[in-house]
Every structure is written in structure tokens, then in C-alpha cells.
């Protein structure tokens, strides 16, 4: 696999526009699960800052 091909592994096309969906090395099965985990972590950090400061 050439360097150019490896960069296009996660390339998507929608409505004529090309974009990268995200990392091809994600440990999550879906973007939704990844988003919810990130939101949960952000809420826990915000709660920790609120309670400790």
C-alpha cells in the first residue's frame, strides 16, 4: 500500500464533497459510541472542576 492510498482509507464522499470520517484506527465500532464516551468524560471533568474549585 502506498503512502497516498493509506491516507485515503477513511475517505468518504457525500453530496459531491470529499471528507475524512476520522481515524481509521478507532477502537470504537461506531462514531456515536465514541461521541457519547467523549461527552461522558467531558461531563465528569466539568463536574470534578465544579466540586473541587
Amino acid at each position: 500500500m502506498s503512502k497516498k492510498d493509506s491516507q485515503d482509507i477513511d475517505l468518504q464522499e457525500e453530496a459531491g464533497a470529499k471528507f475524512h470520517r476520522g481515524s481509521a484506527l478507532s477502537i470504537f465500532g461506531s462514531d456515536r459510541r465514541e461521541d457519547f464516551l467523549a461527552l461522558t468524560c467531558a461531563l465528569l471533568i466539568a463536574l470534578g472542576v465544579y466540586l473541587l474549585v
Side-chain angles (χ1 to χ4, degrees), residues 1-41:
M1 183 180 294
S2 71
K3 188 173 183 178
K4 183 182 181 325
D5 291 339
S6 67
Q7 292 177 358
D8 291 341
I9 201 166
D10 61 346
L11 195 61
Q12 304 264 329
E13 188 170 347
E14 185 175 311
K18 289 185 180 180
F19 63 94
H20 286 275
R21 158 192 171 286
S23 174
L25 301 175
S26 179
I27 62 171
F28 299 95
S30 71
D31 288 341
R32 186 173 299 241
R33 184 176 289 171
E34 185 177 359
D35 292 342
F36 278 120
L37 183 61
L39 180 61
T40 302
C41 289

